[in-house]
Amino acid sequence: MVRNKKALAWVDEMAALCQPDKIEWINGTEEERQRLTDIAIETGEMHLLNQDKLPGCLLHRTAQNDVARTEKLTFICTREEKDAGPINNWMDPKEAYAKVGEMFKGSMKGKTMYVIPFIMGVPGSPFRKIGIEITDSIYVVLNMRIMTRMGDIAADDLGDDEEFTKCLHCRGELDINRRFILHFPEDNTIWSYGSGYGGNVLLGKKCLALRIASYLGLHEDWMAEHMLILGLEKDGETTYICAAFPSACGKTNLAMLIPPDAFPGYKVTTVGDDISWLRIGPDGRLWAINPEYGFFGVAPGTSYKTNPNAMDTVKKNTIFTNVLLTNDNCVWWEGMTEEAPKEGIDWTGKHWHSDSGEKGAHPNSRFTAPAEQCPSISPEFNNPKGVPISAILFGGRRAKLAPLVYETFNWQHGTFVGATMASETTAAATGQVGVVRRDPMAMRPFVGYNMATYFKHWLDMGKKIAHKPKIFHVNWFRQDADGHFLWPGYGDNLRVLDWIIRRCKGEGDAVETPIGYVPTKDAIPLQGLDITDEAMGELLSVHRDDWLEELDGMKNYFDQFGNDLPYEFVEEQQELRKRLGAWDK
Ligand code: SAT
Ligand code: MN
């Protein structure tokens, strides 16, 4: 039971605002899960799938206007506009509370208000933070049950006077004109109104574990990052790597990678697939935890070929959102099998035929699955201390420019490379898909304060970490002139990770180029891989003119930060220009 007086008072206050018929504190028991599931099935909020084939699995369909994060409707509400910075949408907190408070007023009349205490991280860990989410949606309760350690375990972990994140959600009318995802970092508060989509409503995830946590990290000397964490085990030794990629760019696949038969000797273990919280350990290294308890992964493209571990993870106790319902009451999505089922019910609830030309599952359809069901889950998953990080990877989807992999010169250069990251947009957020946009550290939509201050925080952290991880950039998505991917990706990405961990040990051949250390042609193990010399050459090539053009793009991007841009980034641009100028290629 929650004894924290501030928490009890806040719940009373929110109940007075939303005026639910009933208040129910969530305890996290199996009995509760079953009861709420039954209610949700009865009201149609959830659909019970084939329990022989998919035990414990449910399907949910969101409203058709509510299928991805809505970045346009996501706001950082700091007292001073400059504290939100030029990248975030900003609203004055007074105005935000008043405007959206009007929407919350009476919004739960006739409904039950669920109060979910939850922990991001492991109970008792120095990393962990507690939140309480109020919601009128059973879908949210059941997802939060998978994605976080919640209920009594969180209520008991919350100290009597401890701070916690106040998270308020109501589905409202599901009208985009009345949809707001508001963050009040100075009040440790999140308000989400008018949506039922994961990233907008599972408030422990992007809202708390990235936007609010990044702000807490700035003030408490740690970092909240959009990074997977994986362990790479070889000859009894495990090296841990964090990797930042924008949404829907393969973090889950990389975190669960299975070594290709032709390149044995390694085992990959999964600590996390989306979010890392990083702190400096007593040994001067950077340590990471995954604050989440489950995976909220993109379904389309997930198959026994691309990610067998994910397929095995979602066999039971999984909530599927916006996928196709098959005739045998199971699920399907594009890319799951080579052959599509002939017909089914699509993500909008309509009859679907495989030659209709329409997608059966929404491109951003999702699975919510318990992390501990993953066959590759790390034995350190529940370690309150986290794991020590040897390398940080930045990457995006870039058809051109960025080579398959390169190592940055040092932390400052690595921070600059992370800050200049760019990627083609995906279906994970509403808006046009496939346009290149700058996405620093894959955190563009997730930094809860001024991005220029965030860059500075990275540089400051580097000064405090005695034994810094090495920083690399990877690009699995480079294409040839005809638009074909040059690199096979998926399991074969392990070959690149092999070079990376050898570099961390001072091994692995590389040539110094103006952008960093690029592997020599034979430094990446290619045994059993059908790839031409020419393709490898193209994958590892650095073209001076393209990079000079890129420098102009970087400058334009950085200009919006004005004088707030750390001087180190001005220096890095100058140095890069100098190196490119002096290069004879
Ligand atoms: O929708 S989420 O924000 O939870 C997932 C993602 O976009 O990375
Ligand atoms: Mn993500």
Side-chain angles (χ1 to χ4, degrees):
M1 242 202 22
V2 166
R3 301 166 308 269
N4 185 303
K5 288 206 178 69
K6 278 181 277 184
L8 298 170
W10 172 71
V11 171
D12 283 349
E13 198 189 324
M14 293 305 106
L17 176 67
C18 301
Q19 303 164 29
D21 277 15
K22 223 178 111 193
I23 300 176
E24 185 174 335
W25 282 82
I26 294 299
N27 58 29
T29 58
E30 178 53 29
E31 176 280 322
E32 176 185 80
R33 188 194 65 78
Q34 192 57 58
R35 181 170 48 79
L36 294 180
T37 302
D38 290 346
I39 298 173
I41 291 168
E42 209 177 294
T43 60
E45 189 179 356
M46 307 288 267
H47 170 88
L48 188 69
L49 291 163
N50 185 325
Q51 294 300 293
D52 293 328
K53 293 188 178 158
L54 295 168
C57 291
L58 299 162
L59 169 69
H60 172 79
R61 295 190 192 103
T62 64
Q64 288 182 43
N65 70 12
D66 193 25
V67 292
R69 278 181 291 103
T70 33
E71 292 177 7
K72 277 202 192 102
L73 306 175
T74 302
F75 290 81
I76 301 297
C77 309
T78 44
R79 282 188 291 275
E80 301 284 337
E81 182 169 2
K82 69 169 176 26
D83 293 336
I87 305 287
N88 285 312
N89 301 315
W90 175 81
M91 216 191 287
D92 177 81
K94 270 204 200 108
E95 184 196 327
Y97 282 130
K99 180 172 180 171
V100 182
E102 267 311 306
M103 298 179 188
F104 275 111
K105 197 184 271 176
S107 61
M108 295 189 191
K109 272 187 190 152
K111 298 187 192 174
T112 300
M113 170 168 142
Y114 300 99
V115 185
I116 317 166
F118 64 95
I119 311 174
M120 298 314 292
V122 178
S125 159
F127 282 87
R128 73 96 173 93
K129 295 284 178 195
I130 292 190
I132 300 181
E133 177 161 352
I134 290 176
T135 180
D136 61 346
S137 156
I138 293 181
Y139 173 74
V140 169
V141 177
L142 296 178
N143 272 274
M144 286 294 282
R145 189 188 155 90
I146 297 173
M147 294 306 295
T148 68
R149 296 157 176 95
M150 56 87 103
D152 285 345
I153 189 173
D156 294 343
D157 208 33
L158 177 63
D160 288 1
D161 298 309
E162 194 181 342
E163 282 302 316
F164 61 96
T165 307
K166 303 180 270 293
C167 308
L168 176 65
H169 166 250
C170 175
R171 278 165 53 89
E173 304 82 1
L174 301 177
D175 171 355
I176 30 176
N177 297 310
R178 287 169 58 82
R179 178 173 301 155
F180 287 96
I181 323 298
L182 307 175
H183 304 74
F184 304 88
E186 291 150 352
D187 300 342
N188 205 351
T189 295
I190 303 160
W191 276 16
S192 166
Y193 187 88
S195 174
Y197 169 74
N200 293 336
V201 301
L202 308 179
L203 301 183
K205 196 173 178 59
K206 304 293 162 134
C207 301
L208 193 166
L210 287 178
R211 297 195 190 96
I212 294 291
S214 63
Y215 176 87
L216 296 173
L218 172 70
H219 295 280
E220 298 169 1
D221 263 358
W222 56 280
M223 304 159 90
E225 299 297 332
H226 195 198
M227 291 177 178
L228 66 89
I229 312 166
L230 65 80
L232 210 49
E233 195 181 315
K234 193 182 188 187
D235 302 329
E237 192 193 336
T238 306
T239 309
Y240 293 94
I241 294 177
C242 279
F245 302 99
S247 302
C249 287
K251 282 198 296 299
T252 306
N253 291 343
L254 186 64
M256 298 179 188
L257 182 150
I258 291 187
D261 291 341
F263 188 60
Y266 278 105
K267 187 176 154 196
V268 172
T269 53
T270 312
V271 183
D273 79 326
D274 196 37
I275 297 175
S276 304
W277 284 358
L278 300 140
R279 276 177 194 263
I280 303 169
D283 60 356
R285 287 193 290 176
L286 196 59
W287 290 69
I289 64 147
N290 167 13
E292 301 190 283
Y293 200 39
F295 304 124
F296 185 63
V298 181
T302 309
S303 70
Y304 272 102
K305 239 177 160 167
T306 59
N307 192 341
N309 281 323
M311 292 301 284
D312 284 340
T313 307
V314 303
K315 274 184 182 157
K316 55 181 185 189
N317 308 321
T318 296
I319 298 172
F320 296 95
T321 302
N322 291 342
V323 298
L324 180 92
L325 180 66
T326 60
N327 283 349
D328 61 346
N329 201 21
C330 289
V331 292
W332 187 83
W333 47 79
E334 278 67 23
M336 177 170 138
T337 51
E338 248 158 56
E339 216 176 300
K342 275 216 162 47
E343 55 176 4
I345 299 180
D346 72 8
W347 69 274
T348 68
K350 286 205 293 285
H351 181 260
W352 174 88
H353 200 276
S354 62
D355 35 60
S356 64
E358 303 279 324
K359 296 233 189 288
H362 186 274
N364 192 40
S365 54
R366 298 272 171 167
F367 55 78
T368 320
E372 284 171 316
Q373 285 183 190
C374 179
S376 62
I377 196 73
S378 165
E380 304 299 322
F381 177 68
N382 286 310
N383 187 338
K385 287 206 223 111
V387 294
I389 300 303
S390 299
I392 291 176
L393 275 48
F394 291 121
R397 262 174 208 274
R398 289 301 300 260
K400 295 193 183 68
L401 192 78
L404 178 61
V405 58
Y406 61 98
E407 180 191 334
T408 63
F409 295 120
N410 50 48
W411 182 273
Q412 176 175 312
H413 178 233
T415 301
F416 169 74
V417 166
T420 53
M421 238 171 92
S423 190
E424 290 150 26
T425 49
T426 68
T430 50
Q432 214 185 333
V433 169
V435 252
V436 175
R437 73 167 184 179
R438 299 267 157 206
D439 191 349
M441 283 82 169
M443 284 287 280
R444 188 201 174 284
F446 305 122
V447 177
Y449 57 98
N450 191 329
M451 183 73 84
T453 314
Y454 168 79
F455 294 151
K456 186 162 181 308
H457 183 48
W458 261 83
L459 295 166
D460 289 345
M461 287 296 291
K463 291 180 195 131
K464 293 177 192 160
I465 309 165
H467 307 293
K468 292 182 251 307
K470 277 183 184 273
I471 301 179
F472 298 81
H473 187 280
V474 299
N475 178 22
W476 318 132
F477 300 95
R478 190 139 165 183
Q479 296 174 10
D480 64 14
D482 301 327
H484 300 120
F485 289 113
L486 285 160
W487 181 248
Y490 300 108
D492 288 307
N493 291 337
L494 180 62
R495 300 168 190 269
V496 175
L497 300 185
D498 169 77
W499 181 78
I500 287 171
I501 62 166
R502 280 187 290 124
R503 290 297 291 175
C504 291
K505 292 184 185 143
E507 303 160 16
D509 290 333
V511 276
E512 187 174 338
T513 77
I515 64 164
Y517 300 107
V518 176
T520 53
K521 245 183 171 177
D522 44 14
I524 295 190
L526 298 176
Q527 65 259 38
L529 192 65
D530 191 15
I531 189 163
T532 62
D533 231 34
E534 198 192 339
M536 237 11 239
E538 182 57 27
L539 273 165
L540 298 176
S541 63
V542 177
H543 300 291
R544 183 163 76 165
D545 290 347
D546 294 351
W547 279 93
L548 284 169
E549 203 181 305
E550 177 75 359
L551 256 171
D552 295 339
M554 288 175 190
K555 184 172 177 313
N556 281 343
Y557 182 74
F558 283 150
D559 277 351
Q560 68 188 310
F561 300 106
N563 288 338
D564 290 338
L565 188 77
Y567 187 70
E568 287 87 336
F569 283 8
V570 178
E571 257 171 30
E572 287 296 334
Q573 289 174 85
Q574 287 166 351
E575 293 299 314
L576 176 55
R577 192 173 290 279
K578 249 198 257 165
R579 289 193 302 264
L580 285 165
W583 205 37
D584 57 2
K585 277 195 199 160

